[in-house]
Amino acid sequence: METFLLLNRWLHIAAGFTGFFVAPVALLVRKGGPAHRLWGKMFLYAMLVAGTTAIVAASFKGLTFLLLTGIFSLYLAQFGYRSLYHRSMGAGQRPGLYDWASALLGLAVFAGTLGYGLWARPFNVVMLVFGGIGLMTTLRQLWAFRRPGPWPAGQWLRNHISGFVGAYIAAVSAFSATSLKFIAFPLNFLWPTLVLVPLLIWLQRRYAPTGEVVKL
């Protein structure tokens, strides 16, 4: 078992570092081009491996905090990728079983994350922030699935940016919390959110401004 957990740990580290370095490349290259799709898929696969190995380690060691963080990054990564298939949502396209199932599962997980943050003594501000962001994301997604008519122009692209940048924030947060020991809790978890959320908002406004038809 120790050998398995050690291998799982090194696989997690390798995947995390891969995602850490390839995400900026995907942001820098031309959006929608072959390089963007290649580096974007590499980031997706890295996050899937990093999130899965985090969940495995947390399950064996009973680390609720790590478990919820792994699920958080996994959900956001798949949310960002799945959004690419929502370009015609509402205009003849309806959400599939996978869309409903993933959003409802995310709703349950993030409600539990928020509850965990409230239940902990003292309050766990990191789980409150992550749970609140995740809960808001899933509630908005479920509302969008239920509303009649086509989605606003570029909504799928804003979701795509939110999911992938959000997953990157989660990955950087996990790295900071485990490696940057000189930063005190909870700032070690929250500084990537404070630094990168403005970048996320800028990217959304740059590539998917509200009210304009977006082609990518």
Side-chain angles (χ1 to χ4, degrees):
M1 182 59 66
E2 289 299 323
T3 301
F4 170 76
L5 290 176
L6 182 61
L7 291 174
N8 182 78
R9 179 189 178 192
W10 282 110
L11 183 59
H12 174 76
I13 292 172
F17 266 94
T18 300
F20 185 81
F21 288 109
V22 302
V25 179
L27 290 175
L28 290 173
V29 298
R30 185 176 66 85
K31 306 303 176 286
H36 178 73
R37 290 193 292 269
L38 171 64
W39 292 106
K41 285 184 178 179
M42 287 183 63
F43 175 71
L44 172 67
Y45 298 147
M47 288 299 96
L48 292 179
V49 174
T52 301
T53 50
I55 292 172
V56 170
S59 300
F60 277 100
K61 297 183 178 181
L63 302 174
T64 305
F65 197 78
L66 180 60
L67 177 67
L68 294 175
T69 303
I71 295 174
F72 185 79
S73 62
L74 273 178
Y75 178 82
L76 289 177
Q78 68 81 34
F79 171 69
Y81 182 74
R82 183 64 179 176
S83 297
L84 295 173
Y85 295 88
H86 293 162
R87 302 182 188 213
S88 301
M89 190 64 71
Q93 181 184 3
R94 300 302 303 164
L97 178 61
Y98 175 86
D99 298 307
W100 284 109
S102 63
L104 289 171
L105 179 61
L107 181 68
V109 169
F110 295 131
T113 303
L114 188 62
Y116 175 79
L118 290 170
W119 175 77
R121 291 295 181 273
F123 291 142
N124 190 319
V125 65
V126 175
M127 290 296 98
L128 291 176
V129 172
F130 282 10
I133 292 174
L135 196 61
M136 181 178 64
T137 300
T138 51
L139 285 173
R140 289 182 61 187
Q141 192 73 351
L142 289 168
W143 179 84
F145 287 161
R146 286 182 55 84
R147 71 184 294 271
W151 281 11
Q155 185 60 51
W156 66 270
L157 182 53
R158 287 186 286 275
N159 291 347
H160 173 65
I161 295 170
S162 294
F164 271 16
V165 176
Y168 185 66
I169 291 174
V172 176
S173 299
F175 168 77
S176 173
T178 56
S179 301
L180 305 183
K181 302 296 186 180
F182 58 90
I183 304 178
F185 180 88
L187 188 60
N188 58 346
F189 259 99
L190 295 180
W191 74 260
T193 300
L194 299 174
V195 172
L196 295 175
V197 164
L199 172 64
L200 187 157
I201 295 172
W202 180 85
L203 288 169
Q204 288 182 326
R205 292 178 177 176
R206 169 68 175 81
Y207 293 104
T210 304
E212 296 185 12
V213 177
V214 177
K215 294 181 180 181
L216 186 62

